[in-house]
Amino acid sequence: MIRIFKTLLINLTVLIVGLILVEKLLPVITLPVYSERTINLREHSPNQNKTFTINKTDEKINFFTNNDGFLNEDKNNIESIIIFLGGSTVENIQLKHKDRFTYKLQSKLNNLGSVKTQVLNGGVSGSNNINSLFSYLAKGLKYKPKYVFLMGTLNDVGQLSSYNSYWEVDNNQSILNSSQSKLFLFLNYLKTYWFTNIYYHLKSINLLPSKINKNESKSRFNDSSIIEYIRVINLFEKISEEFDIKFVFLTEPYFNIPHQEKSIVESLNKIILESEVNVIDLESLIPKEKKYFIDNTHLNSEGNKLVSNIIFEKIKSLEQTK
Amino acid sequence: MKTFKIIFYNIIILFLLIIIVENTIPYLTDIKIGRERYIMTDEYQPNSNLKYLFNGEVYKKSIDENGFSVNNQINSKENKKSIYFLGSSNVETIYVKEGKRLSDLTISKLNRIYDDKFNGYNSSKGGLNTSHMLKHLIFKIIPQKPDYIFLMPTNDYSYLLEYNSYNKGPKTHFFKSNIFHFFKIIKDTFIPNIYVFLRSSIEFQIPSLGIDDDLRIKNKNKIKETQLDEFENYFRSTIKICKVFNIQTIIGTQFYNIEAVDKNKVELSKYMNSKINNIVRKVSREEGTLLLDLDSLVPKNFKYMYDAGHLNELGCDYVSDLISQKVIDLENENN
């Protein structure tokens, strides 16, 4: 038995050493053709159905995604699709799915009775607008939605303040997945795809250190960041226009944010409102009152109800003008 | 030997335990937040130098850190105007010697006139269609702040004919994680060269694989039913995005070599080419973009192409004259 094991071990070692030698010698003849780089698709894992408990309230939340990672059930016989993209303020993961504005809007539209509509919630916590753009291109367009709504200001301001450009972002909101070493990518792969639960569990109980941006106080947000922010929203608009999809941008409501961030958000909202982009100014329409918010930026059930009413009215008016 | 055995057993037990804990956690606490899918870049490996054989000749290709094919003898690091080339194999012109390719010659000619004012970057890759071009434009060309883009759509008709949509079939943008992905990661991490050698020794040695998809007509019956709306949507979106980012765009129509096309397929080739090119012409006119009607300008014979759709050295020289002249016109206009 030991002899067989020994022979196997020697053979395996020789094979591996042989492979390594060939691998290292081959670049003399040719080098890799196929890129290791991939574009970050920020989405929830498709086809999930889990229940989790909110720490603060002990409330049980049923969490499910469809086969494209939208926070919806797969449904048949849908005649019209509306997609919402953005970060956690669209996602509303801390609320029961029936309390989210996307679900409430869907109910209102279906109560009108004429067309069976599904409102897809593509919000992913932390996503910026270019993350949402790639989701839109890769998995949104194929649904041929009638409307696409984008809500994205606060994450963008935060990230552009640190990195100045969407293409410079170097964390899990980056456009490309790889600027790291192969070994890092391999270990990261194991973490992301094989040991996801252990990683997130350790992270959620604060056993893993989180990266702290040392330059947090020095904002890198400047005129070029503004131009980039506006242009990315324009990309959404141009692509939607071309695919005959109505694009609507939603300014992001908040209860309270730091002064410096607030002044940037206000200036961006002003530019967007003055542009030709179709906008619903939720930031000014949702009162900055505690009764609508869970925390400083996330809406509660009451806030979601208000948002769904506002968007419902907007869709009705857009339908009437057609 | 005993120590090795103990270590070996321990590693196996540890690994099994980790897997058990990993799979048990979702039942105890949290939701699964893993990212199972990503979007493929459809580009060459950045920072690589390619060498391969084709018809007995060795062809070289250098890829820079951003995944663009570059000629370092022509490009310099100084702050210059940039031209990006976007398309499939007929813009890539891979089977032409380095320095004589379409992008190389265009830049060389411009630099002779403008005293080394231009750098050229080629993002093209065999098999790409217009949906890939849109993706390339956003993820890697826009951040380079280009001055000009030359783009030529190809491979669209055959793909839409076969799959009806860019969101279906083998060239969609997703990659979903599965057990093959796991082996792929191991392969990419530990033995990328062996894999590429094995693959390239097959792929690059068979000339027929170098022919663009649009020239391989498989399903003749469906040709006239093919819907090209999606092509127009993606193509026009690409043009509009260039406008948003103030990039001067030169669009080329697709050309082919009638002498190399099977006699039974000449009419079909003409039909497919004209359908796509008519959309390109229409969009270009409506969006006010500069058009280079290569379909009518490039002679359709073996003098300029080595197969049914790929330029040879003389063809590259001819087309680069046309592109560089368009750039000169735009430069003069801007001044």
Side-chain angles (χ1 to χ4, degrees), chain A residues 23 26 32-41 43 45 48 68 167 189 193-198 231 241-242, chain B residues 18 22 26 32 34-35 37-39 41 43-45 66 138 174 182 191-194 199 203 233 236 240 246:
Chain A
E23 175 64 24
L26 268 179
V33 177
Y34 305 98
S35 180
E36 290 157 9
R37 303 199 302 182
T38 55
I39 299 168
N40 197 355
L41 178 63
E43 64 171 2
S45 295
Q48 291 196 73
D68 263 320
W167 285 270
Y189 171 83
Y193 296 108
W194 283 63
F195 302 114
T196 316
N197 298 313
I198 292 176
R231 279 177 171 176
E241 182 184 279
E242 198 42 50
Chain B
I18 289 176
E22 169 67 19
K32 191 182 170 197
R35 277 182 277 149
R37 307 192 294 183
Y38 55 80
I39 306 169
T41 50
E43 60 172 358
Y44 286 108
Q45 168 71 10
N66 297 311
I138 299 172
F174 284 127
F182 177 66
I191 53 160
N193 299 315
I194 291 174
R199 181 163 175 169
E203 192 175 83
N233 296 152
R236 200 189 291 266
K240 284 183 171 175
N246 297 329

Short mmCIF file of all heavy atoms in Angstrom, two decimals, chain A residues 23 26 32-41 43 45 48 68 167 189 193-198 231 241-242, chain B residues 18 22 26 32 34-35 37-39 41 43-45 66 138 174 182 191-194 199 203 233 236 240 246:
data_model
loop_
_atom_site.label_atom_id
_atom_site.label_comp_id
_atom_site.label_asym_id
_atom_site.label_seq_id
_atom_site.Cartn_x
_atom_site.Cartn_y
_atom_site.Cartn_z
N GLU A 23 5.64 25.15 -18.65
CA GLU A 23 4.91 26.41 -18.50
C GLU A 23 5.86 27.61 -18.53
O GLU A 23 5.61 28.62 -19.17
CB GLU A 23 4.12 26.38 -17.18
CG GLU A 23 3.40 27.65 -16.80
CD GLU A 23 2.30 28.04 -17.77
OE1 GLU A 23 1.78 27.16 -18.46
OE2 GLU A 23 2.00 29.26 -17.83
N LEU A 26 7.55 27.94 -22.14
CA LEU A 26 6.70 28.27 -23.29
C LEU A 26 6.69 29.74 -23.71
O LEU A 26 6.59 30.04 -24.89
CB LEU A 26 5.26 27.81 -23.02
CG LEU A 26 4.94 26.41 -23.52
CD1 LEU A 26 3.51 26.06 -23.17
CD2 LEU A 26 5.13 26.28 -25.02
N PRO A 32 0.26 34.27 -23.29
CA PRO A 32 -1.20 34.21 -23.21
C PRO A 32 -1.94 35.14 -24.17
O PRO A 32 -1.55 36.28 -24.36
CB PRO A 32 -1.49 34.63 -21.77
CG PRO A 32 -0.28 34.25 -21.04
CD PRO A 32 0.86 34.44 -21.98
N VAL A 33 -2.98 34.62 -24.79
CA VAL A 33 -3.79 35.38 -25.72
C VAL A 33 -5.05 35.87 -25.05
O VAL A 33 -5.51 36.97 -25.26
CB VAL A 33 -4.17 34.51 -26.94
CG1 VAL A 33 -5.07 35.29 -27.89
CG2 VAL A 33 -2.93 34.04 -27.68
N TYR A 34 -5.61 35.04 -24.20
CA TYR A 34 -6.93 35.33 -23.66
C TYR A 34 -6.82 36.08 -22.33
O TYR A 34 -6.11 35.66 -21.43
CB TYR A 34 -7.72 34.03 -23.53
CG TYR A 34 -7.76 33.35 -24.86
CD1 TYR A 34 -6.88 32.32 -25.16
CD2 TYR A 34 -8.63 33.80 -25.84
CE1 TYR A 34 -6.87 31.74 -26.42
CE2 TYR A 34 -8.63 33.23 -27.09
CZ TYR A 34 -7.75 32.19 -27.38
OH TYR A 34 -7.75 31.65 -28.62
N SER A 35 -7.55 37.17 -22.25
CA SER A 35 -7.36 38.09 -21.12
C SER A 35 -7.87 37.51 -19.81
O SER A 35 -8.92 36.89 -19.75
CB SER A 35 -8.09 39.39 -21.42
OG SER A 35 -7.91 40.28 -20.36
N GLU A 36 -7.11 37.78 -18.76
CA GLU A 36 -7.55 37.40 -17.42
C GLU A 36 -8.51 38.43 -16.85
O GLU A 36 -9.13 38.20 -15.84
CB GLU A 36 -6.34 37.32 -16.48
CG GLU A 36 -5.44 36.15 -16.78
CD GLU A 36 -4.03 36.38 -16.26
OE1 GLU A 36 -3.82 37.36 -15.52
OE2 GLU A 36 -3.15 35.61 -16.61
N ARG A 37 -8.56 39.61 -17.49
CA ARG A 37 -9.40 40.67 -16.94
C ARG A 37 -10.87 40.38 -17.22
O ARG A 37 -11.23 39.85 -18.27
CB ARG A 37 -9.03 42.01 -17.58
CG ARG A 37 -7.58 42.39 -17.40
CD ARG A 37 -7.34 43.86 -17.60
NE ARG A 37 -7.75 44.37 -18.90
CZ ARG A 37 -7.58 45.63 -19.27
NH1 ARG A 37 -7.02 46.50 -18.47
NH2 ARG A 37 -7.96 46.02 -20.47
N THR A 38 -11.72 40.75 -16.29
CA THR A 38 -13.16 40.64 -16.50
C THR A 38 -13.80 41.93 -16.00
O THR A 38 -13.22 42.64 -15.19
CB THR A 38 -13.78 39.47 -15.72
OG1 THR A 38 -13.44 39.60 -14.35
CG2 THR A 38 -13.30 38.14 -16.23
N ILE A 39 -15.01 42.21 -16.50
CA ILE A 39 -15.73 43.40 -16.04
C ILE A 39 -16.61 42.99 -14.86
O ILE A 39 -17.26 41.94 -14.89
CB ILE A 39 -16.58 43.99 -17.18
CG1 ILE A 39 -15.67 44.42 -18.34
CG2 ILE A 39 -17.39 45.20 -16.69
CD1 ILE A 39 -16.38 44.76 -19.61
N ASN A 40 -16.57 43.82 -13.84
CA ASN A 40 -17.31 43.57 -12.61
C ASN A 40 -18.82 43.64 -12.86
O ASN A 40 -19.32 44.67 -13.30
CB ASN A 40 -16.89 44.68 -11.64
CG ASN A 40 -17.21 44.36 -10.21
OD1 ASN A 40 -17.83 43.35 -9.92
ND2 ASN A 40 -16.78 45.22 -9.31
N LEU A 41 -19.51 42.56 -12.61
CA LEU A 41 -20.97 42.58 -12.69
C LEU A 41 -21.50 42.55 -11.27
O LEU A 41 -21.50 41.51 -10.62
CB LEU A 41 -21.48 41.38 -13.48
CG LEU A 41 -23.00 41.25 -13.59
CD1 LEU A 41 -23.59 42.43 -14.35
CD2 LEU A 41 -23.39 39.97 -14.28
N GLU A 43 -24.06 42.24 -8.83
CA GLU A 43 -25.43 41.75 -8.71
C GLU A 43 -25.52 40.77 -7.54
O GLU A 43 -24.51 40.28 -7.05
CB GLU A 43 -25.85 41.03 -10.00
CG GLU A 43 -25.03 39.77 -10.28
CD GLU A 43 -25.57 38.93 -11.42
OE1 GLU A 43 -26.56 39.31 -12.04
OE2 GLU A 43 -24.99 37.86 -11.67
N SER A 45 -26.46 37.09 -6.20
CA SER A 45 -26.42 35.78 -6.86
C SER A 45 -27.81 35.41 -7.35
O SER A 45 -28.79 35.57 -6.61
CB SER A 45 -25.94 34.72 -5.87
OG SER A 45 -24.63 34.99 -5.50
N GLN A 48 -31.76 32.92 -5.65
CA GLN A 48 -31.65 32.70 -4.20
C GLN A 48 -33.04 32.72 -3.57
O GLN A 48 -33.94 33.39 -4.06
CB GLN A 48 -30.83 33.83 -3.56
CG GLN A 48 -29.37 33.81 -3.94
CD GLN A 48 -28.56 34.67 -3.00
OE1 GLN A 48 -28.33 34.31 -1.85
NE2 GLN A 48 -28.16 35.83 -3.47
N ASP A 68 -31.74 36.30 -13.02
CA ASP A 68 -30.76 37.31 -13.42
C ASP A 68 -30.31 38.16 -12.24
O ASP A 68 -29.72 39.23 -12.42
CB ASP A 68 -31.34 38.21 -14.51
CG ASP A 68 -30.88 37.75 -15.89
OD1 ASP A 68 -29.71 37.37 -16.01
OD2 ASP A 68 -31.70 37.75 -16.82
N TRP A 167 -13.17 55.17 -13.55
CA TRP A 167 -12.21 54.20 -14.09
C TRP A 167 -10.99 54.03 -13.19
O TRP A 167 -10.14 53.22 -13.47
CB TRP A 167 -11.80 54.60 -15.51
CG TRP A 167 -12.89 54.31 -16.50
CD1 TRP A 167 -13.05 53.15 -17.21
CD2 TRP A 167 -13.96 55.16 -16.92
NE1 TRP A 167 -14.16 53.23 -18.01
CE2 TRP A 167 -14.74 54.44 -17.86
CE3 TRP A 167 -14.36 56.45 -16.59
CZ2 TRP A 167 -15.87 54.97 -18.47
CZ3 TRP A 167 -15.50 56.98 -17.19
CH2 TRP A 167 -16.23 56.25 -18.12
N TYR A 189 -10.83 34.25 -5.83
CA TYR A 189 -11.82 33.38 -6.47
C TYR A 189 -12.35 32.37 -5.45
O TYR A 189 -13.57 32.17 -5.34
CB TYR A 189 -11.18 32.66 -7.66
CG TYR A 189 -12.08 31.59 -8.22
CD1 TYR A 189 -13.09 31.92 -9.12
CD2 TYR A 189 -11.95 30.26 -7.83
CE1 TYR A 189 -13.94 30.95 -9.62
CE2 TYR A 189 -12.80 29.29 -8.32
CZ TYR A 189 -13.79 29.63 -9.21
OH TYR A 189 -14.64 28.67 -9.69
N TYR A 193 -16.26 32.48 -4.60
CA TYR A 193 -17.13 31.47 -5.16
C TYR A 193 -17.24 30.19 -4.34
O TYR A 193 -18.19 29.44 -4.47
CB TYR A 193 -16.68 31.12 -6.58
CG TYR A 193 -16.80 32.30 -7.50
CD1 TYR A 193 -15.67 32.97 -7.97
CD2 TYR A 193 -18.05 32.79 -7.89
CE1 TYR A 193 -15.79 34.07 -8.80
CE2 TYR A 193 -18.17 33.88 -8.72
CZ TYR A 193 -17.04 34.52 -9.16
OH TYR A 193 -17.16 35.61 -9.98
N TRP A 194 -16.23 29.90 -3.54
CA TRP A 194 -16.24 28.63 -2.82
C TRP A 194 -16.49 28.81 -1.33
O TRP A 194 -17.09 27.96 -0.70
CB TRP A 194 -14.92 27.87 -3.06
CG TRP A 194 -14.89 27.24 -4.41
CD1 TRP A 194 -14.92 27.90 -5.61
CD2 TRP A 194 -14.87 25.86 -4.72
NE1 TRP A 194 -14.91 27.01 -6.63
CE2 TRP A 194 -14.87 25.74 -6.13
CE3 TRP A 194 -14.82 24.69 -3.95
CZ2 TRP A 194 -14.84 24.51 -6.77
CZ3 TRP A 194 -14.78 23.48 -4.61
CH2 TRP A 194 -14.80 23.39 -6.00
N PHE A 195 -15.98 29.89 -0.76
CA PHE A 195 -16.14 30.07 0.68
C PHE A 195 -16.79 31.43 0.99
O PHE A 195 -16.39 32.14 1.89
CB PHE A 195 -14.78 29.93 1.39
CG PHE A 195 -14.14 28.61 1.13
CD1 PHE A 195 -12.96 28.51 0.42
CD2 PHE A 195 -14.74 27.43 1.57
CE1 PHE A 195 -12.39 27.28 0.15
CE2 PHE A 195 -14.17 26.19 1.31
CZ PHE A 195 -13.00 26.11 0.60
N THR A 196 -17.80 31.75 0.19
CA THR A 196 -18.51 33.03 0.31
C THR A 196 -19.09 33.21 1.70
O THR A 196 -18.96 34.27 2.31
CB THR A 196 -19.69 33.06 -0.69
OG1 THR A 196 -19.22 32.56 -1.90
CG2 THR A 196 -20.24 34.44 -0.84
N ASN A 197 -19.75 32.19 2.20
CA ASN A 197 -20.48 32.31 3.46
C ASN A 197 -19.54 32.55 4.63
O ASN A 197 -19.80 33.39 5.49
CB ASN A 197 -21.32 31.06 3.70
CG ASN A 197 -22.35 30.89 2.62
OD1 ASN A 197 -23.04 31.84 2.28
ND2 ASN A 197 -22.43 29.71 2.04
N ILE A 198 -18.45 31.78 4.65
CA ILE A 198 -17.49 31.96 5.74
C ILE A 198 -16.96 33.38 5.72
O ILE A 198 -16.91 34.08 6.73
CB ILE A 198 -16.32 30.95 5.63
CG1 ILE A 198 -16.86 29.53 5.87
CG2 ILE A 198 -15.20 31.29 6.61
CD1 ILE A 198 -15.83 28.45 5.70
N ARG A 231 -21.76 62.62 -17.70
CA ARG A 231 -21.63 61.87 -18.95
C ARG A 231 -22.13 60.43 -18.80
O ARG A 231 -22.73 59.88 -19.73
CB ARG A 231 -20.17 61.88 -19.41
CG ARG A 231 -19.80 63.15 -20.12
CD ARG A 231 -18.34 63.16 -20.49
NE ARG A 231 -18.03 64.29 -21.36
CZ ARG A 231 -16.81 64.58 -21.77
NH1 ARG A 231 -15.78 63.83 -21.39
NH2 ARG A 231 -16.59 65.60 -22.56
N GLU A 241 -32.51 55.60 -25.23
CA GLU A 241 -33.18 56.24 -26.36
C GLU A 241 -33.09 55.35 -27.60
O GLU A 241 -34.05 55.14 -28.31
CB GLU A 241 -32.49 57.58 -26.60
CG GLU A 241 -33.04 58.45 -27.68
CD GLU A 241 -32.16 59.70 -27.82
OE1 GLU A 241 -32.33 60.62 -27.03
OE2 GLU A 241 -31.28 59.71 -28.70
N GLU A 242 -31.89 54.81 -27.82
CA GLU A 242 -31.65 53.99 -29.00
C GLU A 242 -32.44 52.69 -28.97
O GLU A 242 -32.85 52.17 -30.00
CB GLU A 242 -30.15 53.73 -29.14
CG GLU A 242 -29.73 53.28 -30.50
CD GLU A 242 -30.45 54.05 -31.59
OE1 GLU A 242 -30.48 55.30 -31.58
OE2 GLU A 242 -31.03 53.38 -32.44
N ILE B 18 -13.88 22.89 6.34
CA ILE B 18 -14.19 24.22 5.79
C ILE B 18 -15.40 24.13 4.87
O ILE B 18 -16.32 24.95 4.93
CB ILE B 18 -12.97 24.82 5.04
CG1 ILE B 18 -11.89 25.22 6.04
CG2 ILE B 18 -13.38 26.03 4.20
CD1 ILE B 18 -10.61 25.72 5.42
N GLU B 22 -18.87 26.01 5.45
CA GLU B 22 -19.30 26.90 4.37
C GLU B 22 -20.74 26.60 3.95
O GLU B 22 -21.55 27.50 3.76
CB GLU B 22 -18.33 26.76 3.19
CG GLU B 22 -18.76 27.40 1.88
CD GLU B 22 -18.80 28.92 1.96
OE1 GLU B 22 -18.16 29.49 2.87
OE2 GLU B 22 -19.50 29.53 1.13
N PRO B 26 -25.30 29.12 5.58
CA PRO B 26 -26.55 29.72 5.09
C PRO B 26 -27.79 29.25 5.85
O PRO B 26 -28.77 29.99 5.95
CB PRO B 26 -26.63 29.25 3.63
CG PRO B 26 -25.24 28.94 3.26
CD PRO B 26 -24.56 28.47 4.50
N LYS B 32 -26.82 34.41 0.86
CA LYS B 32 -25.63 34.21 0.03
C LYS B 32 -25.42 35.44 -0.84
O LYS B 32 -26.30 35.81 -1.62
CB LYS B 32 -25.85 32.98 -0.84
CG LYS B 32 -24.62 32.51 -1.54
CD LYS B 32 -25.00 31.32 -2.41
CE LYS B 32 -23.85 30.96 -3.34
NZ LYS B 32 -24.33 30.11 -4.43
N GLY B 34 -22.62 35.93 -2.81
CA GLY B 34 -21.51 35.71 -3.75
C GLY B 34 -21.78 36.28 -5.12
O GLY B 34 -22.93 36.49 -5.50
N ARG B 35 -20.72 36.55 -5.85
CA ARG B 35 -20.89 37.00 -7.22
C ARG B 35 -20.58 35.82 -8.12
O ARG B 35 -19.45 35.39 -8.25
CB ARG B 35 -19.97 38.18 -7.52
CG ARG B 35 -20.58 39.48 -7.06
CD ARG B 35 -19.70 40.62 -7.41
NE ARG B 35 -18.66 40.78 -6.41
CZ ARG B 35 -17.47 41.26 -6.69
NH1 ARG B 35 -17.15 41.57 -7.90
NH2 ARG B 35 -16.59 41.42 -5.73
N ARG B 37 -21.38 35.62 -11.42
CA ARG B 37 -21.20 35.91 -12.84
C ARG B 37 -20.32 37.15 -13.02
O ARG B 37 -20.25 37.99 -12.14
CB ARG B 37 -22.54 36.16 -13.51
CG ARG B 37 -23.53 35.04 -13.26
CD ARG B 37 -24.74 35.15 -14.14
NE ARG B 37 -25.55 36.32 -13.85
CZ ARG B 37 -26.70 36.59 -14.47
NH1 ARG B 37 -27.13 35.78 -15.42
NH2 ARG B 37 -27.40 37.65 -14.18
N TYR B 38 -19.69 37.22 -14.15
CA TYR B 38 -18.97 38.45 -14.49
C TYR B 38 -19.13 38.70 -15.98
O TYR B 38 -19.67 37.85 -16.70
CB TYR B 38 -17.50 38.38 -14.09
CG TYR B 38 -16.73 37.21 -14.63
CD1 TYR B 38 -16.24 37.23 -15.93
CD2 TYR B 38 -16.46 36.10 -13.84
CE1 TYR B 38 -15.52 36.17 -16.42
CE2 TYR B 38 -15.73 35.04 -14.33
CZ TYR B 38 -15.26 35.06 -15.62
OH TYR B 38 -14.56 34.01 -16.11
N ILE B 39 -18.67 39.85 -16.43
CA ILE B 39 -18.79 40.17 -17.85
C ILE B 39 -17.42 40.01 -18.48
O ILE B 39 -16.43 40.51 -17.96
CB ILE B 39 -19.29 41.62 -18.05
CG1 ILE B 39 -20.60 41.83 -17.28
CG2 ILE B 39 -19.49 41.93 -19.52
CD1 ILE B 39 -21.04 43.29 -17.19
N THR B 41 -14.26 40.45 -21.02
CA THR B 41 -13.71 41.64 -21.68
C THR B 41 -13.50 41.41 -23.18
O THR B 41 -13.40 42.38 -23.92
CB THR B 41 -12.36 42.04 -21.05
OG1 THR B 41 -11.53 40.88 -20.99
CG2 THR B 41 -12.55 42.61 -19.66
N GLU B 43 -10.86 40.56 -24.93
CA GLU B 43 -9.66 41.29 -25.37
C GLU B 43 -8.45 40.36 -25.25
O GLU B 43 -8.55 39.27 -24.69
CB GLU B 43 -9.44 42.51 -24.46
CG GLU B 43 -9.24 42.09 -23.00
CD GLU B 43 -8.82 43.22 -22.06
OE1 GLU B 43 -8.63 44.35 -22.52
OE2 GLU B 43 -8.66 42.93 -20.87
N TYR B 44 -7.33 40.80 -25.77
CA TYR B 44 -6.09 40.06 -25.57
C TYR B 44 -5.55 40.34 -24.16
O TYR B 44 -5.84 41.39 -23.57
CB TYR B 44 -5.04 40.48 -26.59
CG TYR B 44 -5.31 39.94 -27.98
CD1 TYR B 44 -5.74 40.79 -29.00
CD2 TYR B 44 -5.14 38.60 -28.27
CE1 TYR B 44 -6.01 40.30 -30.27
CE2 TYR B 44 -5.39 38.11 -29.55
CZ TYR B 44 -5.83 38.96 -30.54
OH TYR B 44 -6.09 38.47 -31.78
N GLN B 45 -4.77 39.41 -23.68
CA GLN B 45 -4.17 39.57 -22.35
C GLN B 45 -3.25 40.80 -22.30
O GLN B 45 -2.32 40.91 -23.11
CB GLN B 45 -3.37 38.29 -22.03
CG GLN B 45 -2.47 38.37 -20.84
CD GLN B 45 -3.26 38.41 -19.54
OE1 GLN B 45 -4.46 38.21 -19.53
NE2 GLN B 45 -2.59 38.72 -18.47
N ASN B 66 -3.04 48.21 -21.10
CA ASN B 66 -4.50 48.42 -21.12
C ASN B 66 -5.22 47.47 -22.08
O ASN B 66 -6.41 47.63 -22.33
CB ASN B 66 -4.81 49.86 -21.51
CG ASN B 66 -4.27 50.84 -20.48
OD1 ASN B 66 -4.49 50.66 -19.28
ND2 ASN B 66 -3.54 51.84 -20.93
N ILE B 138 -16.66 51.48 -23.70
CA ILE B 138 -16.92 52.00 -22.35
C ILE B 138 -15.85 51.58 -21.35
O ILE B 138 -15.35 52.41 -20.59
CB ILE B 138 -18.32 51.56 -21.84
CG1 ILE B 138 -19.41 52.10 -22.77
CG2 ILE B 138 -18.57 52.08 -20.42
CD1 ILE B 138 -20.80 51.57 -22.47
N PHE B 174 -21.81 37.22 -20.59
CA PHE B 174 -21.67 36.64 -19.26
C PHE B 174 -20.69 35.50 -19.19
O PHE B 174 -20.51 34.76 -20.13
CB PHE B 174 -23.00 36.05 -18.79
CG PHE B 174 -23.96 37.08 -18.37
CD1 PHE B 174 -25.22 37.11 -18.91
CD2 PHE B 174 -23.62 38.02 -17.43
CE1 PHE B 174 -26.13 38.05 -18.52
CE2 PHE B 174 -24.53 38.96 -17.03
CZ PHE B 174 -25.78 38.98 -17.58
N PHE B 182 -13.91 26.87 -12.28
CA PHE B 182 -12.88 26.58 -11.28
C PHE B 182 -11.60 26.07 -11.96
O PHE B 182 -10.50 26.54 -11.68
CB PHE B 182 -13.41 25.55 -10.28
CG PHE B 182 -12.38 25.14 -9.25
CD1 PHE B 182 -11.90 26.06 -8.33
CD2 PHE B 182 -11.89 23.85 -9.22
CE1 PHE B 182 -10.96 25.69 -7.39
CE2 PHE B 182 -10.94 23.47 -8.28
CZ PHE B 182 -10.47 24.40 -7.37
N ILE B 191 -1.19 27.51 -15.39
CA ILE B 191 -0.61 27.04 -16.66
C ILE B 191 -1.20 27.77 -17.88
O ILE B 191 -1.62 27.15 -18.86
CB ILE B 191 -0.79 25.51 -16.83
CG1 ILE B 191 -2.27 25.11 -16.65
CG2 ILE B 191 0.13 24.72 -15.94
CD1 ILE B 191 -2.61 23.75 -17.27
N PRO B 192 -1.23 29.13 -17.86
CA PRO B 192 -1.82 29.82 -19.00
C PRO B 192 -1.06 29.57 -20.31
O PRO B 192 -1.66 29.46 -21.37
CB PRO B 192 -1.73 31.30 -18.60
CG PRO B 192 -0.63 31.36 -17.62
CD PRO B 192 -0.68 30.05 -16.88
N ASN B 193 0.25 29.44 -20.21
CA ASN B 193 1.05 29.31 -21.43
C ASN B 193 0.83 27.98 -22.14
O ASN B 193 0.74 27.91 -23.35
CB ASN B 193 2.53 29.49 -21.10
CG ASN B 193 2.78 30.85 -20.51
OD1 ASN B 193 2.29 31.85 -21.03
ND2 ASN B 193 3.51 30.91 -19.41
N ILE B 194 0.76 26.92 -21.33
CA ILE B 194 0.53 25.60 -21.93
C ILE B 194 -0.81 25.59 -22.65
O ILE B 194 -0.92 25.15 -23.79
CB ILE B 194 0.57 24.49 -20.84
CG1 ILE B 194 2.00 24.34 -20.30
CG2 ILE B 194 0.07 23.16 -21.40
CD1 ILE B 194 2.14 23.40 -19.13
N ARG B 199 -3.95 25.67 -27.61
CA ARG B 199 -5.08 26.21 -28.36
C ARG B 199 -4.62 26.93 -29.64
O ARG B 199 -5.18 26.71 -30.70
CB ARG B 199 -5.87 27.18 -27.46
CG ARG B 199 -7.06 27.75 -28.18
CD ARG B 199 -8.07 28.35 -27.27
NE ARG B 199 -9.11 28.98 -28.09
CZ ARG B 199 -10.24 29.42 -27.64
NH1 ARG B 199 -10.52 29.31 -26.38
NH2 ARG B 199 -11.13 29.98 -28.44
N GLU B 203 -5.73 26.74 -33.45
CA GLU B 203 -6.52 27.84 -33.98
C GLU B 203 -5.80 28.68 -35.03
O GLU B 203 -6.37 29.02 -36.06
CB GLU B 203 -6.97 28.73 -32.81
CG GLU B 203 -8.02 29.73 -33.22
CD GLU B 203 -8.51 30.51 -32.02
OE1 GLU B 203 -7.84 31.49 -31.64
OE2 GLU B 203 -9.53 30.14 -31.47
N ASN B 233 -29.35 49.35 -33.12
CA ASN B 233 -29.40 49.92 -31.77
C ASN B 233 -28.01 50.00 -31.15
O ASN B 233 -27.62 51.04 -30.59
CB ASN B 233 -30.28 49.05 -30.86
CG ASN B 233 -31.72 49.01 -31.30
OD1 ASN B 233 -32.42 48.05 -31.07
ND2 ASN B 233 -32.17 50.06 -31.95
N ARG B 236 -25.71 52.49 -33.26
CA ARG B 236 -26.02 53.90 -33.05
C ARG B 236 -25.66 54.33 -31.61
O ARG B 236 -25.18 55.44 -31.39
CB ARG B 236 -27.50 54.18 -33.33
CG ARG B 236 -27.78 55.65 -33.60
CD ARG B 236 -29.26 55.92 -33.67
NE ARG B 236 -29.92 55.35 -34.83
CZ ARG B 236 -30.12 56.01 -35.97
NH1 ARG B 236 -29.71 57.24 -36.10
NH2 ARG B 236 -30.74 55.43 -36.97
N LYS B 240 -23.34 57.43 -30.52
CA LYS B 240 -23.82 58.48 -29.61
C LYS B 240 -22.90 58.62 -28.39
O LYS B 240 -22.68 59.73 -27.90
CB LYS B 240 -25.25 58.15 -29.16
CG LYS B 240 -26.29 58.44 -30.22
CD LYS B 240 -27.68 58.19 -29.72
CE LYS B 240 -28.72 58.68 -30.72
NZ LYS B 240 -30.08 58.36 -30.32
N ASN B 246 -17.08 63.50 -26.72
CA ASN B 246 -16.35 64.37 -27.67
C ASN B 246 -15.24 63.64 -28.42
O ASN B 246 -14.12 64.15 -28.55
CB ASN B 246 -15.74 65.58 -26.95
CG ASN B 246 -16.81 66.46 -26.36
OD1 ASN B 246 -17.90 66.54 -26.91
ND2 ASN B 246 -16.49 67.09 -25.24
#
